[in-house]
Amino acid sequence: MLAKQRFVLDTTAFTDNVLREDLGNGDLTQSVDVMLDLLARSRIKLNISCHMPPVTYKEFSDYMARYECPDEVMVKAETWIVKKTPNRYDTQIPSEIFFEYVQDMRERMNKGMKTSETAIWEAAVESMVMTSRGEAKNKVEMEIIGKAIKDFRKKYRAALRKGTLDSAPDLDVLLLAKELGAGVVAADEGIRVWAERLGLRFLNANSFPKMLKEYLKYYE
């Protein structure tokens, strides 16, 4: 029997837009179905198992439910994706990684605060200018306040969330991969960054099915 390989999948391993175009011509259900068929063949023929923490699997299944994914596709997911909760108590993470994460979050919070201050000042100044010109209150709210909130949200998300771990499913993916000695599959920049810092094998969501196809080509 071939040596066992394990991979832990993030939700983005199925929902990435590039992957959706490559496997399903833009159709999410079709691309997920093709992906699950690849997982099934790889499990049977190549001894490759794919795992998800339960919290991540719920995120994935809820996402698919919003797109009214057919039951038969989700049955495949239940069959071929191994659900396992990581051992959060015994899995060892170097203290240096924890230190780096806390430092990274502090820097991001400072960036977020500066972003907030800038947005408030810009909106206040522009609002005062329009008010001094006699502009109506509802026009000020629509043109200045509404736009300021929209721009602020975009910049705030970039400052605090882009390139870091910002959810329990993300963290569980890394903990389970660390516990199993598995590779990580995702299209999430934060997961990639911290997987590499933990010394874990990382595969981009778009490259993972290509790798499986290449393996299968030589086996079949």
Side-chain angles (χ1 to χ4, degrees), residues 84-117:
K84 184 183 185 307
T85 301
N87 187 337
R88 301 189 185 101
Y89 294 97
D90 292 338
T91 301
Q92 296 185 355
I93 302 294
S95 58
E96 177 64 22
I97 296 296
F98 185 65
F99 177 83
E100 288 179 9
Y101 183 74
V102 171
Q103 188 176 44
D104 179 62
M105 291 308 298
R106 172 170 289 189
E107 291 173 358
R108 289 174 182 276
M109 285 189 286
N110 288 336
K111 288 180 182 178
M113 183 173 63
K114 291 178 181 177
T115 299
S116 304
E117 292 170 350

Side-chain angles (χ1 to χ4, degrees), residues 141-169:
E141 290 176 347
M142 289 177 61
E143 294 187 8
I144 303 302
I145 307 301
K147 181 178 181 299
I149 291 173
K150 182 178 179 181
D151 290 345
F152 166 71
R153 285 176 176 169
K154 182 178 180 181
K155 293 176 182 177
Y156 189 81
R157 280 196 298 267
L160 261 72
R161 299 181 62 183
K162 187 176 181 180
T164 195
L165 302 176
D166 61 357
S167 70

Side-chain angles (χ1 to χ4, degrees), residues 43-192:
R43 176 70 178 272
I44 292 171
K45 298 180 178 181
L46 303 173
N47 201 24
I48 291 175
S49 60
C50 293
H51 303 249
M52 268 188 170
V55 66
T56 308
Y57 185 81
K58 184 179 186 306
E59 180 184 67
F60 164 66
S61 58
D62 288 348
Y63 186 94
M64 297 305 296
R66 290 199 296 273
Y67 282 83
E68 300 180 347
C69 182
D71 290 341
E72 56 267 26
V73 175
M74 294 312 297
V75 168
K76 286 184 182 180
E78 284 285 343
T79 302
W80 299 109
I81 299 173
V82 181
K83 275 72 72 181
K84 184 183 185 307
T85 301
N87 187 337
R88 301 189 185 101
Y89 294 97
D90 292 338
T91 301
Q92 296 185 355
I93 302 294
S95 58
E96 177 64 22
I97 296 296
F98 185 65
F99 177 83
E100 288 179 9
Y101 183 74
V102 171
Q103 188 176 44
D104 179 62
M105 291 308 298
R106 172 170 289 189
E107 291 173 358
R108 289 174 182 276
M109 285 189 286
N110 288 336
K111 288 180 182 178
M113 183 173 63
K114 291 178 181 177
T115 299
S116 304
E117 292 170 350
T118 300
I120 291 170
W121 275 110
E122 290 178 352
V125 170
E126 291 182 31
S127 296
M128 286 189 292
V129 170
M130 289 189 69
T131 302
S132 68
R133 293 173 180 168
E135 299 287 358
K137 179 183 177 182
N138 63 338
K139 185 175 181 181
V140 173
E141 290 176 347
M142 289 177 61
E143 294 187 8
I144 303 302
I145 307 301
K147 181 178 181 299
I149 291 173
K150 182 178 179 181
D151 290 345
F152 166 71
R153 285 176 176 169
K154 182 178 180 181
K155 293 176 182 177
Y156 189 81
R157 280 196 298 267
L160 261 72
R161 299 181 62 183
K162 187 176 181 180
T164 195
L165 302 176
D166 61 357
S167 70
D170 290 356
L171 182 58
D172 265 5
V173 164
L174 295 182
L175 290 175
L176 184 58
K178 184 71 173 175
E179 177 186 336
L180 299 175
V184 176
V185 183
D188 183 286
E189 181 65 13
I191 292 179
R192 182 193 66 78

